[in-house]
Amino acid sequence: GGQFDATNVLRDDVSVITTVGRDHADELGDDRESIAERKAGIIDPGSKVVYRVSGEPGHVISQVAERVGGEEVTSIADVSFSRCDGEVTFDVIYAGERTPSKLVAGYQTENIETAVTVLETLDGIGSELGNIVSETVVEFTLPGRMEVAQSSPVCCGGGRT
């Protein structure tokens, strides 16, 4: 991922870095700071930069953004979540609208916040954003990845980063 990833051949309006973990240390570096530096290689001059990384790796991403002329987006979208009366799923609350979702894992709520932040940075969406978020959240599923298989609950967690 990042600087040497095959997807890094296009100029982006928004560059997004969700996490900096050690799961790809073989390719990206020995420590989280090195990995952050490599991942930040996706930042294009003039692009908006959205990231949910704190500590020293976050500082590294910030430095790379400044060095290449990326514009940091520092506020994460105002999205909140509530567990439904003992249910496994979350409701998504955005722009005052509560939308039931099939989300079951905490990381999925962070992904929704990040995605909405990206949408908020794009020009031309405006007042339609609330509808886009609601429709997407209602329809979104990721079978086999934190999927509730029965009401007990049993969650399936297969997947790869």
Side-chain angles (χ1 to χ4, degrees):
Q3 181 178 6
F4 299 115
D5 193 88
T7 61
N8 196 26
V9 297
L10 302 173
R11 289 253 186 239
D12 299 317
D13 293 330
V14 182
S15 301
V16 182
I17 301 171
T18 54
T19 61
V20 173
R22 296 189 38 82
D23 49 342
H24 297 294
D26 298 1
E27 296 90 16
L28 299 179
D30 295 332
D31 55 42
R32 292 183 68 225
E33 291 76 19
S34 300
I35 293 168
E37 177 87 27
R38 283 281 182 86
K39 283 192 165 201
I42 67 168
I43 300 171
D44 291 319
S47 71
K48 308 256 197 240
V49 182
V50 176
Y51 61 95
R52 295 191 59 106
V53 180
S54 59
E56 190 57 32
H59 183 68
V60 168
I61 293 167
S62 178
Q63 289 177 321
V64 172
E66 184 177 336
R67 184 173 64 237
V68 302
E71 179 186 334
E72 286 184 77
V73 176
T74 56
S75 66
I76 296 297
D78 185 18
V79 180
S80 57
F81 305 90
S82 65
R83 272 211 192 270
C84 304
D85 300 326
E87 295 290 321
V88 179
T89 60
F90 292 88
D91 281 351
V92 176
I93 305 159
Y94 179 73
E97 296 292 322
R98 179 180 295 267
T99 305
S101 75
K102 298 172 183 136
L103 301 174
V104 297
Y107 75 88
Q108 292 171 321
T109 61
E110 290 178 5
N111 290 345
I112 289 282
E113 288 172 331
T114 303
V116 172
T117 301
V118 170
L119 289 172
E120 287 180 345
T121 68
L122 297 173
D123 292 330
I125 293 179
S127 62
E128 292 299 310
L129 185 55
N131 293 334
I132 292 168
V133 171
S134 294
E135 290 172 16
T136 302
V137 165
V138 166
E139 298 298 323
F140 181 79
T141 62
L142 198 54
R145 180 79 177 204
M146 293 305 292
E147 176 184 10
V148 177
Q150 61 187 30
S151 62
S152 297
V154 172
C155 289
C156 302
R160 178 179 174 344
T161 60

